[in-house]
Amino acid sequence: NAGVMQNPRHLVRRRGQEARLRCSPMKGHSHVYWYRQLPEEGLKFMVYLQKENIIDESGMPKERFSAEFPKEGPSILRIQQVVRGDSAAYFCASSALGQGIVGYTFGSGTRLTVV
Amino acid sequence: ELKVEQNPLFLSMQEGKNYTIYCNYSTTSDRLYWYRQDPGKSLESLFVLLSNGAVKQEGRLMASLDTKARLSTLHITAAVHDLSATYFCAVGQETSGSRLTFGEGTQLTVNP
């Protein structure tokens, strides 16, 4: 049973380019969460999605960031026109229950570097 | 707004010693999690605490939850070098759906 799969593991983008981060949840999990971790800091919630629905996007920056979780395929976190401040580790987590009572399983993360 | 504070943020200890990491949170919570993160790695789930007075132990680590004091502790017994990592507590609230609010993390270094 593969865990939460994120790719790519490392991503380098020049300022102004687009970054697309992918997350495939654990088998049987239909709830996906994205978190961002800036260097030397804790994780900050970004967005919570179910299949084809955004449930809570209160942590998403208002501009340039978007997320989707289509009926088929992985969840995508998209960052348009990246800036240096977007450099961070982006973690995806999944759960089988909406409340995550039994805990979340985190992926290995995508480390985005904007040069 | 829920705030989660950990202390200490940095902890250097010798092998064989005991120590406690504290996690305070500002509003009522119905669940608390402890995670471990090694440098450049993902988060590994250690404990899930769901009720007042809950205590869980795994090896040299023991976590407890006091919901009245809004405090969780992670106690390390007879530390070994392999425990060196960053430890995060995270708090969930039913009112905020499934989002977790993380503490800043405690960077633990265990010296021989």
Side-chain angles (χ1 to χ4, degrees):
Chain A
N1 183 15
V4 178
M5 305 299 291
Q6 288 189 250
N7 68 83
R9 292 290 299 274
H10 299 275
L11 182 61
V12 179
R13 283 288 177 266
R14 295 186 186 279
R15 280 177 293 172
Q17 291 185 317
E18 178 180 288
R20 291 171 71 88
L21 289 61
R22 297 174 190 77
C23 169
S24 296
M26 281 186 68
K27 187 175 181 180
H29 287 188
S30 58
H31 304 263
V32 166
Y33 318 83
W34 286 93
Y35 288 80
R36 176 166 64 175
Q37 184 178 34
L38 295 170
E40 309 298 328
E41 293 188 11
L43 277 72
K44 297 288 194 290
F45 170 80
M46 299 182 76
V47 62
Y48 161 37
L49 310 105
Q50 295 178 22
K51 287 281 188 183
E52 300 184 279
N53 282 306
I54 297 175
I55 307 302
D56 179 359
E57 56 181 348
S58 57
M60 288 278 271
K62 294 289 186 275
E63 297 178 349
R64 301 188 298 108
F65 285 72
S66 62
E68 63 176 4
F69 190 13
K71 187 176 180 181
E72 301 290 338
S75 175
I76 306 287
L77 179 67
R78 183 180 176 208
I79 312 172
Q80 295 178 291
Q81 299 176 322
V82 295
V83 300
R84 288 235 171 96
D86 297 332
S87 296
Y90 291 82
F91 289 96
C92 168
S94 72
S95 73
L97 299 172
Q99 294 297 326
I101 293 295
V102 296
Y104 304 80
T105 301
F106 281 86
S108 299
T110 293
R111 281 147 185 86
L112 172 66
T113 303
V114 179
V115 297
Chain B
E1 181 187 347
L2 172 61
K3 294 191 187 306
V4 181
E5 294 184 348
Q6 287 182 235
N7 74 84
L9 299 183
F10 298 94
L11 176 57
S12 180
M13 55 192 298
Q14 294 219 307
E15 281 190 329
K17 299 293 186 183
N18 305 331
Y19 209 83
T20 300
I21 299 170
Y22 297 89
C23 174
N24 292 274
Y25 52 97
S26 59
T27 60
T28 303
S29 167
D30 53 12
R31 54 194 191 276
L32 189 137
Y33 305 82
W34 283 97
Y35 289 93
R36 167 182 171 146
Q37 185 180 39
D38 292 289
K41 304 291 186 182
S42 186
L43 281 79
E44 173 191 353
S45 178
L46 296 175
F47 301 106
V48 181
L49 303 168
L50 300 176
S51 60
N52 186 42
V55 177
K56 291 195 175 180
Q57 182 164 4
E58 181 72 36
R60 301 176 187 273
L61 301 177
M62 183 174 70
S64 66
L65 178 61
D66 182 344
T67 58
K68 293 180 181 177
R70 297 176 187 163
L71 171 68
S72 179
T73 61
L74 180 66
H75 187 72
I76 303 156
T77 302
V80 293
H81 180 69
D82 285 352
L83 290 179
S84 296
T86 300
Y87 293 84
F88 291 96
C89 66
V91 174
Q93 292 179 295
E94 187 171 346
T95 53
S96 59
S98 295
R99 61 187 295 179
L100 295 182
T101 301
F102 280 79
E104 311 97 310
T106 296
Q107 189 173 316
L108 171 66
T109 303
V110 181
N111 302 304

